[in-house]
Amino acid sequence: MISQQTIQQILSRIDIIEIVGGFVKLKKRGTNYLGLCPFHNEKTPSFTVSPAKEIYKCFGCGRSGNTISFLMEHEKYSYVEALRWLAARYNVEIEEKELSPEARQQQQVADSLYIINTFAQKFFTDTLFNAEEGRDIGLSYLKERGFNEEIMRKFQLGYCPDQRDVFARAALAAQYNAEYLIRTGLVVQREEKLIDNYRGRVIFPVHNQTGKIIGFGARIIRSNDRAPKYINTPENEIYVKSKILYGSYQARQAIDKADECLLVEGYTDVISLHQAGIENVVASGGTSLTLDQLRLIRKYTHHLTIIYDGDNAGVKAAMRGLDMALEEGLDVKLVLIPDKEDPDSYVRRIGASAFREFIAANKKDVILFQLEVALKDAGGDSNKKAAVVNQVAETIARINKAEDFTRQQDYIRQSAEILRIEETGLYTLVNKFIRERIAKQEAKTANAADRPVSEPGDPSALAVPSDEDSLNLLFRHEQNERGMIRVLLEYGLRAWDEQTLVADYVLGEFAELADLIDNKRLLTILDLFKDWYQQGLEPSSKSFLYHEDQELSTLAVSVMDVHLELSPNWKEHYEGKIATPDELYKEDVLSTMRYLKLRKVYRLMEENQADLGKPHSEEELMMLLQTHMHLKEMERSLLQDLGTVIFK
Ligand SMILES: [Zn+2]
């Protein structure tokens, strides 16, 4: 929790050119800076940064945002992480906000769970090495599996006695709270009594990256059909399955050093490989990888190698997370262990150095591997093959960082070769998927779901206007909704006439036009603006730029123009007349409002025509026809005003 003062301090120091320029090579062009977009692949720069407006915008893929959203998107930081990064950069000391009572309560619960887990780990480890039952059953089992004592101590393995409540009684005697004990999953309640949950099992503590114990895996020793092989900690304040990579604490330095992370399925795979001296290894528990897990890996390395046994369902599960891995910029390889063995048994049989050699020699590129498997499945069926082509293009399209451009090209070349299709065709297809995905993301940010877009064939769009220009206007509908907010944010506080400001004019006109705005999020900006303005504050684009609601800030940025492009007609129209570019903003405001008015006129014409279709008296017919003439005249006049200024 960062205090509001600190946030303000950070925001006041931000220099967008300096920050973005640290990641993207920028060149000055007029008042703006230009560079190659880091979010899509391009050869000619269309990524524009405006120091005056403190925003960036890409005219290639449409991404836009402020310094913080740049860090969030480019570096995959959370909002708070981006603020902390900036604070460190500008030497701003972070003042932490007082935790809310709920947050403090949650923190206290978490602390209690950590303490109980530490107590439990010590109890189980002590039992394993020092108690008779522990040594006879637990320790001898682990030794039989080939683990030495050193590695058991490194991973803090343990044993829970096969008795009713030995641990529960010890924990209660040590004054631990029964409710929290249940929440850790170490004990369960049976008829008012606490009994041990992991009876007769060997215990694998699970650590977070900082080494704190967040939970346990408990493995059965004698196989028993009725009992599960493993019991794991239930989800609680500190044990969140989707964020856990087993072994990340013990492996982190080795991953950093090797610049590679090996991923296996189970606890024993991790421990065996460690014992063999291969320490850059973690386990996902056999489920598909989550975004949190991928980001955890990416903190240390960009190279992920998945090691699974060949005919295991786990391979498919691991594959499911891979599209995300590509988006996170991870380079993913796959190694399949042969002969129905797993990494644990395989490294034991062939030894560490042979294992290393095997991994190095059998790394398959995961995209090409998937492609080969899918192609084999498709056989001679050309429909299925077409689906495979689409699938691989979509996958390759997810490699979307500019620094991975070469990698993407390589994939296109190799995939085209495997598929025996033309490289250029696949390239076009990949680009299509990139555009689609970005458009989808954009739409999501702008909350497009509640915005009906006029499509060709949509009767509401085609009902009235007939000529091409009018149609164009309807397709520009979304743009002109945004335009109204834009002129308000950009020019709101400039003079409209001698007495009033642009904001007065726009807000006044808007009272009539509000029902035309389909994107309700835009109305949120408008309402906020109005509130602030009426309170005598001076709202501007900056007020929204760093609004704490990221979605709102993104939307505000997306309506802003980094360079107002005047159409040639417009320039012609004004050159030598009003002549000062300073006055052009009024024309910008006027034409934006005209678009909206024109839309209003079309809507009224539709209603009028619908009325004409209903039965009516002679008198009513005259009225309706008159209204129609009147609206037609308004349309003509608005189109004329707009045409002279805007249309080419
Ligand atoms: Zn771009």
Side-chain angles (χ1 to χ4, degrees):
M1 287 287 205
I2 302 176
S3 77
Q4 201 53 40
Q5 289 97 306
T6 307
I7 295 176
Q8 285 312 321
Q9 235 179 329
I10 296 168
L11 295 184
S12 69
R13 303 269 182 99
I14 286 178
D15 174 351
I16 191 167
I17 299 302
E18 185 188 73
I19 301 298
V20 174
F23 299 96
V24 181
K25 216 172 151 196
L26 296 173
K27 272 193 186 150
K28 198 162 189 328
R29 282 289 155 81
T31 55
N32 293 328
Y33 288 76
L34 203 62
L36 288 172
C37 177
F39 304 118
H40 85 283
N41 296 318
E42 60 178 11
K43 286 173 181 155
T44 46
S46 52
F47 181 75
T48 310
V49 186
S50 161
K53 293 184 174 157
E54 294 179 33
I55 63 173
Y56 65 88
K57 229 169 212 213
C58 173
F59 292 94
C61 65
R63 290 239 166 96
S64 63
N66 58 38
T67 308
I68 291 175
S69 46
F70 180 87
L71 290 171
M72 289 171 72
E73 183 139 22
H74 193 268
E75 293 301 288
K76 308 291 177 199
Y77 289 155
S78 68
Y79 180 68
V80 174
E81 281 168 346
L83 282 175
R84 286 186 192 278
W85 187 91
L86 287 164
R89 169 92 181 214
Y90 291 117
N91 286 319
V92 174
E93 204 179 313
I94 292 183
E95 196 181 287
E96 302 279 345
K97 197 157 76 182
E98 279 272 300
L99 289 177
S100 66
E102 298 80 35
R104 193 179 309 139
Q105 162 76 11
Q106 205 178 3
Q107 188 62 48
Q108 277 164 358
V109 174
D111 287 343
S112 304
L113 299 186
Y114 283 128
I115 292 168
I116 291 174
N117 282 345
T118 306
F119 170 80
Q121 178 267 314
K122 291 208 173 94
F123 178 91
F124 294 139
T125 303
D126 184 55
T127 306
L128 178 73
F129 288 108
N130 303 320
E132 202 186 326
E133 188 193 329
R135 296 187 65 90
D136 285 353
I137 301 174
L139 195 60
S140 63
Y141 165 80
L142 287 168
K143 283 188 170 162
E144 214 173 284
R145 295 271 326 235
F147 298 120
N148 61 38
E149 287 198 17
E150 193 191 333
I151 205 73
M152 292 182 216
R153 291 202 188 268
K154 184 173 177 183
F155 283 87
Q156 302 186 313
L157 305 190
Y159 174 76
C160 181
D162 195 7
Q163 291 161 51
R164 193 179 156 79
D165 57 359
V166 184
F167 170 75
R169 272 186 287 127
L172 290 172
Q175 305 291 315
Y176 291 111
N177 173 307
E179 187 200 323
Y180 290 164
L181 279 168
I182 293 169
R183 215 180 293 199
T184 59
L186 289 160
V187 301
V188 287
Q189 193 159 20
R190 289 280 154 77
E191 290 149 9
E192 308 280 305
K193 287 233 164 95
L194 297 185
I195 60 164
D196 296 351
N197 196 20
Y198 302 151
R199 296 182 310 276
R201 289 170 177 259
V202 284
I203 309 287
F204 298 84
V206 180
H207 303 80
N208 66 10
Q209 304 88 265
T210 60
K212 283 188 180 173
I213 296 166
I214 54 179
F216 301 90
R219 192 192 193 284
I220 204 162
I221 291 180
R222 291 177 217 91
S223 50
N224 173 345
D225 287 345
R226 286 184 307 147
K229 194 165 153 194
Y230 278 97
I231 301 176
N232 291 297
T233 300
E235 296 261 326
N236 60 33
E237 280 78 357
I238 58 175
Y239 190 88
V240 181
K241 214 174 158 214
S242 64
K243 294 187 178 181
I244 296 169
L245 278 175
Y246 179 74
S248 59
Y249 172 63
Q250 291 87 350
R252 69 204 191 288
Q253 278 152 0
I255 294 172
D256 207 27
K257 215 167 123 202
D259 191 18
E260 181 183 26
C261 176
L262 308 180
L263 179 84
V264 294
E265 228 184 315
Y267 303 130
T268 53
D269 295 323
V270 170
I271 300 173
S272 278
L273 287 172
H274 260 268
Q275 188 170 293
I278 300 166
E279 297 187 343
N280 54 329
V281 54
V282 299
S284 65
T287 51
S288 55
L289 287 165
T290 67
L291 201 56
D292 286 320
Q293 290 170 328
L294 291 168
R295 287 182 179 169
L296 188 56
I297 293 169
R298 215 189 66 123
K299 277 191 180 165
Y300 301 102
T301 181
H302 285 256
H303 302 284
L304 172 65
T305 302
I306 301 176
I307 306 175
Y308 272 20
D309 41 341
D311 48 11
N312 186 313
V315 177
K316 271 196 179 147
M319 293 284 193
R320 250 179 273 132
L322 286 183
D323 282 352
M324 278 188 303
L326 293 172
E327 279 176 59
E328 291 298 303
L330 282 168
D331 173 31
V332 189
K333 298 275 192 284
L334 178 71
V335 176
L336 296 179
I337 301 287
D339 307 328
K340 301 196 172 174
E341 293 206 68
D342 52 32
D344 178 8
S345 63
Y346 199 57
V347 72
R348 230 176 271 286
R349 189 162 67 75
I350 67 170
S353 60
F355 188 87
R356 265 186 236 268
E357 278 164 32
F358 178 81
I359 298 295
N362 289 279
K363 263 185 213 174
K364 283 182 192 152
D365 184 276
V366 96
I367 294 181
L368 300 179
F369 174 77
Q370 274 179 310
L371 177 60
E372 277 165 11
V373 170
L375 202 58
K376 210 185 280 171
D377 285 350
D381 187 329
S382 54
N383 279 338
K384 277 187 188 159
K385 195 179 159 189
V388 173
V389 174
N390 260 312
Q391 182 58 52
V392 77
E394 193 180 357
T395 303
I396 296 173
R398 288 178 189 269
I399 307 169
N400 65 351
K401 286 272 183 80
E403 63 256 37
D404 290 334
F405 188 49
T406 334
R407 235 179 100 215
Q408 191 173 63
Q409 303 292 87
D410 283 347
Y411 274 128
I412 291 175
R413 190 174 41 73
Q414 294 173 62
S415 305
E417 218 171 273
I418 294 171
L419 289 160
R420 293 170 202 277
I421 58 173
E422 262 188 54
E423 211 178 302
T424 48
L426 188 57
Y427 186 79
T428 313
L429 195 59
V430 168
N431 277 335
K432 194 191 116 210
F433 279 113
I434 293 176
R435 277 197 307 277
E436 274 178 14
R437 191 161 42 82
I438 290 170
K440 243 185 245 162
Q441 282 166 351
E442 252 282 288
K444 217 163 95 194
T445 342
N447 219 1
D450 53 6
R451 173 181 69 224
V453 176
S454 305
E455 297 273 359
D458 174 353
S460 72
L462 294 173
V464 183
S466 50
D467 61 34
E468 222 183 25
D469 282 349
S470 327
L471 272 177
N472 260 336
L473 280 174
L474 285 182
F475 294 127
R476 297 174 74 144
H477 172 46
E478 160 69 12
Q479 245 179 318
N480 91 57
E481 284 192 346
R482 288 166 174 245
M484 196 201 57
I485 304 297
R486 177 180 60 79
V487 295
L488 200 56
L489 295 187
E490 298 209 3
Y491 315 125
L493 302 177
R494 292 214 206 171
W496 181 247
D497 54 33
E498 276 164 24
Q499 270 100 48
T500 61
L501 302 182
V502 170
D504 298 312
Y505 170 73
V506 172
L507 292 172
E509 291 280 307
F510 184 71
E512 286 274 300
L513 302 168
D515 59 321
L516 289 174
I517 303 292
D518 290 323
N519 186 345
K520 299 300 174 224
R521 294 290 291 178
L522 289 173
L523 287 178
T524 315
I525 296 184
L526 189 100
D527 287 342
L528 262 176
F529 186 99
K530 208 158 118 188
D531 267 5
W532 289 339
Y533 186 64
Q534 283 167 353
Q535 285 170 36
L537 302 171
E538 299 192 340
S540 70
S541 53
K542 292 267 167 66
S543 327
F544 293 90
L545 189 52
Y546 295 112
H547 195 276
E548 59 185 357
D549 179 345
Q550 277 293 304
E551 209 187 307
L552 205 64
S553 127
T554 306
L555 186 60
V557 170
S558 77
V559 305
M560 282 157 71
D561 239 333
V562 288
H563 44 211
L564 194 59
E565 299 248 26
L566 304 179
S567 84
N569 284 337
W570 191 344
K571 273 187 199 143
E572 222 170 85
H573 188 68
Y574 278 102
E575 241 141 328
K577 290 184 186 170
I578 301 176
T580 69
D582 223 31
E583 294 279 333
L584 285 178
Y585 72 86
K586 289 190 188 170
E587 194 50 45
D588 190 9
V589 173
L590 270 177
S591 58
T592 304
M593 298 313 280
R594 281 186 195 124
Y595 274 123
L596 274 179
K597 285 182 193 164
L598 192 61
R599 180 145 182 101
K600 181 93 185 178
V601 167
Y602 286 145
R603 194 162 290 183
L604 293 172
M605 281 165 92
E606 267 175 55
E607 284 169 16
N608 196 56
Q609 281 203 331
D611 285 346
L612 271 167
K614 290 175 197 155
H616 37 61
S617 66
E618 191 90 342
E619 210 175 316
E620 282 167 342
L621 180 68
M622 283 305 291
M623 284 280 288
L624 290 169
L625 286 176
Q626 255 175 14
T627 307
H628 182 72
M629 299 281 283
H630 180 61
L631 290 169
K632 264 295 189 202
E633 173 54 28
M634 283 172 75
E635 180 202 13
R636 200 196 53 76
S637 137
L638 282 167
L639 275 177
Q640 196 180 21
D641 284 345
L642 285 165
T644 38
V645 178
I646 299 287
F647 291 127
K648 295 187 184 98

